[in-house]
């Protein structure tokens, strides 16, 4: 079992920055994938970033076009955390952000992750 805990959400003005942290607790594998999704009412869930987490790994990443160049995902395998740094935030980035965990390499292209966090709210408004 793996439990995921998100932290770092909140409110910010357009153009501002926020950092989200996803901590994996429990029976974590030596290598796994963390994805960040976001969800707003009435809209389809969107995956914004994926990172490969491993001991000594370079943290290969993948981003949605909507956030490329503004969001950066990093990993700290020793602490079992994945961080999503969000810059130049826009009102359309407002959503509940959810991290997900899986060990399958298919995590790069499928959304069926084994473990999910509760989600954390990010609000961007003036």
């Amino acid at each position: 079992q793996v439990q995921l805990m998100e932290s770092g959400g909140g409110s910010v003005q357009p153009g501002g920055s926020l950092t989200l942290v996803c901590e994996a607790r429990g029976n974590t594998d030596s290598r796994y994938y963390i994805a960040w999704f976001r969800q707003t009412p009435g809209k389809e869930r969107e995956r914004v970033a994926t990172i490969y987490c491993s001991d000594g790994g370079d943290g290969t990443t993948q981003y949605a076009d909507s956030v490329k160049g503004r969001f950066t995902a990093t990993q700290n395998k020793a602490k079992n955390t994945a961080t999503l740094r969000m810059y130049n935030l826009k009102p359309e980035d407002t959503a509940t952000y959810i991290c997900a965990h899986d060990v399958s390499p298919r995590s790069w292209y499928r959304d069926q992750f084994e473990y999910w966090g509760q989600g954390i709210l990010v609000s961007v408004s003036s």
Side-chain angles (χ1 to χ4, degrees), residues 37-52:
F37 293 83
R38 63 187 181 187
Q39 179 79 61
T40 54
K43 292 181 69 175
E44 197 169 319
R45 185 179 62 195
E46 178 188 18
R47 185 201 298 224
V48 297
T50 309
I51 185 166
Y52 175 57

Side-chain angles (χ1 to χ4, degrees), residues 41-89:
K43 292 181 69 175
E44 197 169 319
R45 185 179 62 195
E46 178 188 18
R47 185 201 298 224
V48 297
T50 309
I51 185 166
Y52 175 57
C53 303
S54 64
D55 293 322
D58 61 2
T60 304
T61 55
Q62 188 178 75
Y63 300 96
D65 289 342
S66 58
V67 306
K68 203 171 291 183
R70 299 188 299 120
F71 288 15
T72 301
T74 57
Q75 58 117 11
N76 185 327
K77 184 61 179 67
K79 295 183 178 179
N80 279 325
T81 58
T83 298
L84 185 68
R85 292 180 173 83
M86 307 182 291
Y87 305 98
N88 189 23
L89 283 161

Side-chain angles (χ1 to χ4, degrees), residues 3-112:
Q3 297 81 41
L4 301 176
M5 300 289 292
E6 299 108 336
S7 60
S11 297
V12 65
Q13 292 187 339
S17 303
L18 279 175
T19 297
L20 303 182
V21 178
C22 176
E23 180 183 1
R25 300 176 181 176
N27 190 22
T28 56
D29 203 283
S30 60
R31 293 172 290 180
Y32 52 84
Y33 299 82
I34 292 288
W36 291 94
F37 293 83
R38 63 187 181 187
Q39 179 79 61
T40 54
K43 292 181 69 175
E44 197 169 319
R45 185 179 62 195
E46 178 188 18
R47 185 201 298 224
V48 297
T50 309
I51 185 166
Y52 175 57
C53 303
S54 64
D55 293 322
D58 61 2
T60 304
T61 55
Q62 188 178 75
Y63 300 96
D65 289 342
S66 58
V67 306
K68 203 171 291 183
R70 299 188 299 120
F71 288 15
T72 301
T74 57
Q75 58 117 11
N76 185 327
K77 184 61 179 67
K79 295 183 178 179
N80 279 325
T81 58
T83 298
L84 185 68
R85 292 180 173 83
M86 307 182 291
Y87 305 98
N88 189 23
L89 283 161
K90 305 174 181 180
E92 51 264 41
D93 294 318
T94 295
T96 296
Y97 284 72
I98 309 158
C99 67
H101 172 292
D102 204 289
V103 299
S104 171
R106 288 175 288 182
S107 300
W108 286 120
Y109 54 85
R110 69 171 190 179
D111 290 349
Q112 287 78 27

